[in-house]
Amino acid sequence: MTTIDTATITVELPDSFDPRWNRLPGIQVDGRRITIDPAEYFFRFESSTWLVADWDLVKAQLLDVDETTESTVEQLALDFIKNHGESTSDAARVLATAYGVYSYLFREEHLAGLGLPQITADHLRMLREAATLMALNKVELDGHISNVGPCWFFPAATSVVFDLDDETGGMLDEVYHGGWFNEHRRIESIKAHAALGGRLVHGCQSVPDQSGGVVAPYGASMASFRDDLAEFKASWIEQIYAHRVTAAE
């Protein structure tokens, strides 16, 4: 593990998280209060700064703006980040911002049109929680992955925390990175992720293969990102699955 010296991360969010997050090393959940010990929680923690924009400002000035023939939605998001993004070393602010973003993206009104009747409101809660923690992962502009926590490997982490089978965990991963499988949701996702300083990218192909996702800055090298990810993922996934609770336990 690579880690820098950093203080314990503590945040109080608007809603309680599932106490089974405590199954993973380095994270303690007590209702709405989440405490993370970076040295225990992360597999790699080389950067304690993140790029964020105020979520309320994103809601007020970006979410309702439409792209044009002159300015695509990606350009709108990039311009917004350039104008309003700021570097922060406050991990609690990152988590609070992320919870706002994912509470918006995974809201229950979408269930009726998702076309996946097996996805429930409880599954959306799981998505909100896991995606919030994933916001602490980080990719640098050169494509190097500087921060990696267990929620990078979404199906593995959710199988441990929520006792999901592989099929359900993979299905949730598809919903997480699939932008709800349509262009309207993808556009919504691009705009919302401006609050986290970039766009959501995945190493996965069309089927979840535990290659994870991260909000990467616009302009980050995806080739280097892919190569870095391929080197470490297998051993770290194995470590996560070691915390799976069996029926006998």
Side-chain angles (χ1 to χ4, degrees):
M1 176 184 66
T2 303
T3 186
I4 59 175
D5 291 331
T6 190
T8 298
I9 298 166
T10 302
V11 64
E12 195 159 302
L13 297 173
D15 301 301
S16 295
F17 269 41
D18 194 302
R20 289 174 292 178
W21 283 106
N22 295 323
R23 294 173 177 176
L24 294 174
I27 181 170
Q28 292 185 333
V29 168
D30 182 12
R32 297 189 296 118
R33 187 180 181 85
I34 299 171
T35 305
I36 295 173
D37 179 350
E40 291 187 30
Y41 177 76
F42 288 96
F43 295 112
R44 182 189 289 174
F45 191 68
E46 301 171 350
S47 176
S48 58
T49 62
W50 296 265
L51 183 63
V52 296
D54 183 79
W55 173 234
D56 286 335
L57 197 64
V58 171
K59 289 190 291 184
Q61 297 188 13
L62 184 59
L63 292 187
D64 292 331
V65 178
D66 293 325
E67 69 177 357
T68 69
T69 55
E70 303 295 328
S71 183
T72 66
V73 64
E74 291 86 357
Q75 187 65 49
L76 290 171
L78 178 60
D79 289 344
F80 187 92
I81 293 167
K82 285 181 177 179
N83 292 328
H84 302 291
E86 53 186 314
S87 178
T88 182
S89 58
D90 184 357
R93 180 183 176 187
V94 178
L95 291 169
T97 300
Y99 192 70
V101 168
Y102 293 114
S103 294
Y104 168 72
L105 289 176
F106 299 122
R107 57 197 190 275
E108 292 185 21
E109 72 181 69
H110 288 325
L111 284 174
L114 181 58
L116 291 173
Q118 63 271 48
I119 294 287
T120 67
D122 197 42
H123 288 132
L124 295 189
R125 177 185 58 80
M126 297 176 191
L127 283 162
R128 289 192 292 268
E129 293 180 11
T132 294
L133 295 169
M134 288 182 77
L136 295 179
N137 296 328
K138 189 176 178 187
V139 172
E140 305 299 327
L141 277 173
D142 64 2
H144 173 69
I145 302 170
S146 49
N147 293 349
V148 183
C151 282
W152 184 289
F153 311 102
F154 191 94
T158 52
S159 75
V160 170
V161 174
F162 301 118
D163 301 307
L164 301 181
D165 57 35
D166 291 340
E167 180 181 359
T168 306
M171 180 177 62
L172 285 189
D173 194 32
E174 281 285 277
V175 174
Y176 170 64
H177 73 73
W180 295 97
F181 305 104
N182 63 49
E183 182 65 8
H184 180 69
R185 296 279 82 79
R186 188 189 75 86
I187 289 172
E188 193 173 76
S189 176
I190 289 170
K191 292 177 182 178
H193 279 106
L196 296 172
R199 68 174 184 270
L200 182 65
V201 299
H202 266 68
C204 299
Q205 303 304 315
S206 59
V207 177
D209 65 354
Q210 300 274 23
S211 291
V214 67
V215 179
Y218 286 94
S221 170
M222 289 296 101
S224 298
F225 165 83
R226 177 196 58 208
D227 294 343
D228 194 10
L229 177 60
E231 290 185 8
F232 64 67
K233 75 172 190 176
S235 62
W236 290 348
I237 290 171
E238 184 178 352
Q239 291 181 54
I240 297 170
Y241 276 126
H243 298 284
R244 212 170 190 170
V245 175
T246 64
E249 295 175 293

